[in-house]
Amino acid sequence: MLLLPRMASNLARSLLLLLFAFSICDAVAIPGPISDRHRSAALELFAPHHGSFASLEETYEALRVFEILAVGDKPDVRTTTCPKVLENLGSPTPLKDLFYALKVNGILKCKVNKDVFKDIASKLKATVKDAKTLVDLYYSIGSLVLIKDQASDVDVLLADANGTFQTIKALSQSDGKWRYTDKPESSTYAAAPYCQVNSVKNDILKLFDSIEKYDDGTFYFDEKLVGGHEHQGSISTTSSVVRGVSAFAAVTSGKINLPGDKILGLAKFFLGIGIPGDAKDFFNQIESLALLESNRISIPLVLSLPATVYSLSNKDQIKVRVNTVLGSAAPPLTVKLVRAFSTGAKDSAIIDNKELKYDQNSGHHVLDVLPNKVDVGTYVFVFEMVLHDSDGEKVYATGGQIHVPVYFTGIVKVSNAEIAVLENDLGSVETQKTLDLAGNDIVSLSANHLQKLRLSFRLTTPLGHAFKPHQAFLKLTHEKKYEHIFVVGNAGKKFEIVLDFLGLVEKFYYLSGRYDIELTVGDAVMENSFLRPLGHVELDLPEAPTSKAPRLPPLAVDPYTRYGPKAEITHLFRAPEKRPPTQLSLIFLGLTLLPLIAFLVGLLRLGVNFRNFPSSAVPATYAILFHLGIAAILVLYVLFWLKLDLFTTLKTAALLGVFLLFVGHRILSHLATTSAKLKSA
């Protein structure tokens, strides 16, 4: 028995019941072929900016992905891309940019002059002759191959093929790996370019000796450093190897003896990563799958289930689909269910050697009827693909026996549910009531600290076997919202819990009163999982001793209360100050204007005199500016009265004051000088 006070809110606990169902889907996610989700992701990851991509490499990757996935509403970048292609082909360009310009041109078919191809071919031949690194050889020879495909009459043959071969061989390593640059470190990633320009099968086989493997038969390549400085992940490394091996297999006359399970394992790796969020990884995934689908070594076939959770109550049929990695139809074949067994009884098979029926309309292989031995729980179904044409085994990789986890859900029977109040010492029943957990029965009980509360019920599967759910909790909630959770134990089919209130008084904080009773029973394969109120019990507990009175813990905060919408706040503003009557304000305004009126009247009475106004140009300018500054000060006073705030007015007045100080000093100096000259005369 386990007591967990102050658990999370009711909503959080009820949602916990659903996590097991979701975990089923995650745990048995079987990678299927490429779907429309990949096409939608391609349009999102390869979205051009202002009608074009950042580089020709990105342009090629986008166009290649659209081509492989047959995306219908792909963006049109021909108008903006072809000028870039022609520019890179017609001017000195780094080998990598030239390589991708030719790749883009192979898809867009831009109008390139034949003489341009001839000029590029001659330069590339010279580069191959002087190349010192594998990357230069890769881009140079790869570009010559692309020119041959786009302009067949251009001479791309190497004059010294044997010398080129020896240069490549000098970069080899004994483990099948290669040096990517002039540094001595070997690289799995660099082996792919070698495979595309060399013809040594043994090195390819050595390379596959370093392949990594998961327990489910997934194969991949991985390395941490390339050339001692560049990091390559498992996706790019595995893609590089697939690209190189496929290119070599396409041009060699013989067959590469690679096991079909490794080819199928590589396909599982690329399908198992789902939809990468990075455009480069997405391109590597799609192109690798396209190469695996069309390679000459072994074409992988993918067995997938539309669903791995089936309902016994709905009598769901088990359906299996077989496709190539890109979703194309598989050759004629038969899918057999070799055996099926429960994970709890691996030695006891419920199905043996059952052939699934092929539905031509849906393209599924269907197991229409399940045997009566199938009960709720987890099973492992072992499938096997058998090709109708025996020669097809040389072309396709089926992977042998394929183990698939399958979940069966159903209605679990809940019976013999009882709740009772027992006497503590004798264990005799004082009150006992029968519960219908499938209905809405509510009970009302009462007990004291010397009594016990017992709850019991039975759970059986559709076949009558004992069933143990993932969750079986009994919760008591006090009227003050304090919660107590107990785990309901079981012995076989019977689940029972007995709460001894005498030993729980401290856990209950000596709180008497009403406790609501709630039962939670849930499991991922139990279709009728429930969280059900059973009623309440009036509990009479003793008063807490003064010396050891427990402190009540803080109540758990409902997440909806903490993070949900808050109550609307109504702002209360201060009441405006009482203002004087309008007439009094107007009278005060008139009084403030009296000094200005008196000044104007004084000017009229005294008369305006311009005799001392300077006649020279420079002093006259200072005099005019001085009077304009005075006028600006007066205008500023008016604006302050009407609209300006105090700080704006003070800053403006400070600037005008500096201006007036300067021009006023100048004009007053002129007047003083003139006056001194008149007196001396």
Side-chain angles (χ1 to χ4, degrees):
M1 189 190 311
L2 176 65
L3 178 61
L4 301 173
R6 293 175 291 156
M7 298 293 285
S9 64
N10 290 344
L11 178 62
R13 280 191 300 274
S14 61
L15 289 177
L16 187 61
L17 291 170
L18 301 177
L19 294 180
F20 293 100
F22 294 147
S23 65
I24 288 180
C25 301
D26 292 337
V28 298
I30 299 176
I34 294 299
S35 63
D36 289 335
R37 295 192 303 117
H38 288 80
R39 296 177 178 87
S40 300
L43 292 173
E44 294 180 5
L45 291 174
F46 295 101
H49 183 64
H50 298 302
S52 64
F53 294 96
S55 65
L56 288 175
E57 181 179 2
E58 292 184 16
T59 304
Y60 168 72
E61 292 173 355
L63 294 175
R64 179 63 176 149
V65 167
F66 295 152
E67 182 182 51
I68 294 172
L69 298 180
V71 177
D73 52 348
K74 58 186 177 183
D76 184 10
V77 295
R78 181 184 179 85
T79 304
T80 56
T81 304
C82 277
K84 295 181 180 179
V85 171
L86 298 176
E87 180 183 355
N88 279 270
L89 296 180
S91 60
T93 306
L95 286 174
K96 182 177 180 181
D97 294 341
L98 177 63
F99 176 75
Y100 281 106
L102 290 169
K103 277 186 167 289
V104 172
N105 185 61
I107 298 177
L108 295 182
K109 310 297 182 185
C110 301
K111 296 180 180 180
V112 182
N113 193 298
K114 186 183 300 183
D115 294 334
V116 174
F117 285 123
K118 292 181 179 179
D119 184 55
I120 295 173
S122 63
K123 294 179 180 178
L124 289 174
K125 291 179 185 179
T127 303
V128 171
K129 183 178 179 180
D130 300 331
K132 301 298 182 184
T133 63
L134 185 63
V135 64
D136 289 342
L137 288 168
Y138 170 64
Y139 285 130
S140 300
I141 298 177
S143 298
L144 288 171
V145 174
L146 292 171
I147 291 175
K148 184 64 177 177
D149 294 336
Q150 299 173 28
S152 57
D153 55 344
V154 176
D155 182 18
V156 297
L157 297 178
L158 298 175
D160 186 14
N162 184 62
T164 303
F165 174 81
Q166 295 301 327
T167 301
I168 297 172
K169 192 65 178 176
L171 298 171
S172 66
Q173 300 289 316
S174 60
D175 59 355
K177 299 181 181 181
W178 297 80
R179 294 200 302 272
Y180 197 64
T181 64
D182 55 356
K183 296 184 179 181
E185 293 87 352
S186 62
S187 166
T188 302
Y189 181 85
Y194 163 76
C195 293
Q196 299 186 45
V197 296
N198 203 356
S199 57
V200 181
K201 297 180 182 179
N202 291 334
D203 288 313
I204 294 179
L205 299 179
K206 290 178 183 178
L207 181 64
F208 272 77
D209 291 339
S210 63
I211 198 169
E212 305 284 344
K213 181 182 179 181
Y214 289 128
D215 293 337
D216 62 351
T218 298
F219 287 91
Y220 67 98
F221 291 91
D222 194 13
E223 69 180 19
K224 300 193 180 296
L225 293 177
V226 174
H229 67 282
E230 183 182 355
H231 174 78
Q232 294 290 341
S234 56
I235 296 178
S236 59
T237 304
T238 308
S239 175
S240 182
V241 173
V242 170
R243 197 176 292 119
V245 172
S246 300
F248 172 75
V251 298
T252 186
S253 57
K255 185 175 178 63
I256 304 176
N257 295 321
L258 286 177
D261 62 328
K262 290 188 177 180
I263 301 297
L264 183 61
L266 292 174
K268 286 183 177 180
F269 170 74
F270 286 110
L271 292 175
I273 60 179
I275 299 179
D278 179 72
K280 187 70 174 181
D281 289 342
F282 189 87
F283 164 73
N284 287 330
Q285 177 197 43
I286 299 301
E287 187 181 51
S288 298
L289 291 173
L291 293 172
L292 290 172
E293 176 149 326
S294 59
N295 78 90
R296 292 180 53 198
I297 303 173
S298 188
I299 299 175
L301 296 178
V302 180
L303 183 145
S304 59
L305 277 68
T308 54
V309 181
Y310 298 92
S311 172
L312 294 177
S313 57
N314 295 335
K315 298 181 179 180
D316 293 339
Q317 293 180 329
I318 293 182
K319 298 179 180 180
V320 175
R321 178 183 288 274
V322 180
N323 299 92
T324 63
V325 292
L326 293 184
S328 302
L333 53 79
T334 299
V335 177
K336 289 185 177 180
L337 179 56
V338 179
R339 65 191 298 259
F341 55 88
S342 172
T343 54
K346 296 182 179 181
D347 297 331
S348 178
I350 60 171
I351 304 176
D352 277 313
N353 201 22
K354 179 74 173 179
E355 185 175 312
L356 277 63
K357 296 181 180 179
Y358 181 68
D359 185 356
Q360 293 185 349
N361 295 327
S362 63
H364 290 110
H365 300 262
V366 182
L367 179 64
D368 48 0
V369 179
L370 288 172
N372 296 329
K373 297 180 181 179
V374 178
D375 205 350
V376 296
T378 308
Y379 292 81
V380 175
F381 279 49
V382 183
F383 295 99
E384 186 178 47
M385 293 179 280
V386 180
L387 295 169
H388 293 174
D389 186 0
S390 58
D391 293 336
E393 296 179 359
K394 302 177 182 178
V395 180
Y396 297 96
T398 58
Q401 294 186 353
I402 304 168
H403 292 67
V404 180
V406 176
Y407 287 80
F408 288 99
T409 66
I411 302 297
V412 175
K413 183 180 179 181
V414 186
S415 60
N416 298 347
E418 294 179 345
I419 189 169
V421 175
L422 310 177
E423 295 294 340
N424 198 359
D425 296 331
L426 302 177
S428 59
V429 177
E430 179 181 292
T431 305
Q432 179 171 312
K433 294 187 178 181
T434 302
L435 296 173
D436 180 12
L437 296 181
N440 297 315
D441 292 349
I442 298 296
V443 299
S444 178
L445 303 171
S446 61
N448 57 44
H449 66 288
L450 298 177
Q451 295 177 318
K452 300 178 182 179
L453 180 68
R454 183 183 68 191
L455 172 68
S456 63
F457 56 90
R458 288 176 176 266
L459 295 178
T460 53
T461 66
L463 294 186
H465 300 142
F467 180 75
K468 184 177 181 179
H470 290 147
Q471 295 181 353
F473 296 142
L474 180 67
K475 183 181 75 171
L476 271 66
T477 306
H478 189 261
E479 54 191 340
K480 292 184 178 180
K481 305 304 179 183
Y482 288 99
E483 300 178 350
H484 307 274
I485 308 294
F486 304 88
V487 176
V488 182
N490 75 301
K493 298 180 181 179
K494 185 177 181 181
F495 285 76
E496 183 178 81
I497 183 172
V498 178
L499 301 182
D500 186 354
F501 294 127
L502 182 61
L504 295 174
V505 289
E506 291 188 7
K507 298 292 185 180
F508 282 19
Y509 313 116
Y510 294 90
L511 289 177
S512 301
R514 172 171 169 157
Y515 285 81
D516 293 325
I517 308 172
E518 186 178 77
L519 177 64
T520 300
V521 177
D523 193 279
V525 298
M526 182 177 175
E527 296 179 3
N528 56 329
S529 299
F530 60 86
L531 190 155
R532 186 185 181 286
L534 304 181
H536 68 274
V537 56
E538 290 287 344
L539 195 55
D540 183 15
L541 300 179
E543 295 290 334
T546 306
S547 59
K548 29 184 318 190
R551 178 181 298 177
L552 292 177
L555 291 171
V557 179
D558 188 351
Y560 275 106
T561 304
R562 177 181 295 179
Y563 302 110
K566 303 299 181 182
E568 183 179 356
I569 299 175
T570 302
H571 293 281
L572 298 177
F573 295 96
R574 185 181 63 181
E577 299 289 343
K578 187 176 181 180
R579 297 185 178 183
T582 305
Q583 296 80 0
L584 182 61
S585 298
L586 293 175
I587 293 172
F588 182 77
L589 175 61
L591 292 175
T592 57
L593 294 176
L594 283 178
L596 178 61
I597 296 173
F599 173 72
L600 296 176
V601 172
L603 290 178
L604 294 176
R605 298 279 296 180
L606 296 174
V608 180
N609 185 344
F610 291 99
R611 288 178 298 176
N612 289 331
F613 198 86
S615 57
S616 301
V618 175
T621 302
Y622 285 125
I624 293 172
L625 292 176
F626 179 75
H627 287 83
L628 290 177
I630 296 295
I633 292 291
L634 296 175
V635 172
L636 180 63
Y637 288 163
V638 174
L639 292 176
F640 171 65
W641 181 268
L642 296 176
K643 56 186 296 186
L644 295 181
D645 57 80
L646 179 61
F647 295 103
T648 304
T649 304
L650 289 176
K651 288 189 291 185
T652 307
L655 295 175
L656 289 175
V658 174
F659 174 76
L660 284 174
L661 180 64
F662 175 73
V663 297
H665 177 268
R666 289 284 184 170
I667 188 61
L668 290 177
S669 298
H670 172 73
L671 293 177
T673 303
T674 304
S675 177
K677 289 180 180 180
L678 291 175
K679 289 181 180 180
S680 62

